[in-house]
Amino acid sequence: KEENYPGKTQYDVDIYINSVWFKRIRSNGEQVVQEITKYLRPGPNVIHFAATKNIGQQRKSFSPQVYMRIIIGEGDIGGNNVMIERPLITYKRTADETQNFNDEYTITVK
């Protein structure tokens, strides 16, 4: 996960892999890097993102340029670095959005 203005999109995103809850990503500024290979199976896999807007006391931004992006892809881990060589899904929410979202993507694993 990456955010260009940490915490300002005010979205929490629950990620489901093949209908099983995997992780909640919060718009709080912490970068998250997570290995998901063991949760995938050969063939088609469904990745579901349930994004919930959490405004709290007030909105922190109304800008469509303020975003939170979640990337799922193939890559390598070396030391403390992760290099995504082939992005499979790029999921993005912006601060100007106010509704909740449910989005599904299918990736094929060999």
Side-chain angles (χ1 to χ4, degrees):
K1 173 202 75 136
E2 68 173 332
E3 292 182 271
N4 62 346
Y5 293 95
K8 292 200 175 188
T9 58
Q10 296 176 283
Y11 270 103
D12 290 342
V13 180
D14 285 305
I15 302 172
Y16 297 82
I17 300 173
N18 297 317
S19 300
V20 176
W21 184 80
F22 170 69
K23 186 171 195 70
R24 176 172 288 165
I25 306 293
R26 297 181 185 273
S27 172
N28 64 3
E30 297 175 18
Q31 185 176 20
V32 176
V33 177
Q34 182 94 32
E35 173 71 42
I36 66 167
T37 305
K38 65 183 177 182
Y39 301 97
L40 301 173
R41 58 183 182 240
N45 289 265
V46 177
I47 312 296
H48 180 94
F49 298 92
T52 304
K53 186 76 166 190
N54 288 317
I55 295 172
Q57 298 291 328
Q58 65 182 12
R59 291 187 57 191
K60 296 179 181 178
S61 175
F62 294 82
S63 173
Q65 281 77 40
V66 174
Y67 67 85
M68 176 173 72
R69 182 168 44 206
I70 299 170
I71 300 170
I72 294 179
E74 297 175 349
D76 288 318
I77 299 173
N80 290 329
N81 297 317
V82 175
M83 294 296 299
I84 294 186
E85 296 167 353
R86 190 172 143 233
L88 302 174
I89 300 169
T90 300
Y91 187 74
K92 184 176 178 182
R93 296 276 56 100
T94 60
D96 70 321
E97 298 170 316
T98 57
Q99 68 269 37
N100 297 334
F101 293 89
N102 283 292
D103 299 294
E104 273 190 1
Y105 300 83
T106 301
I107 60 173
T108 302
V109 176
K110 296 177 185 178

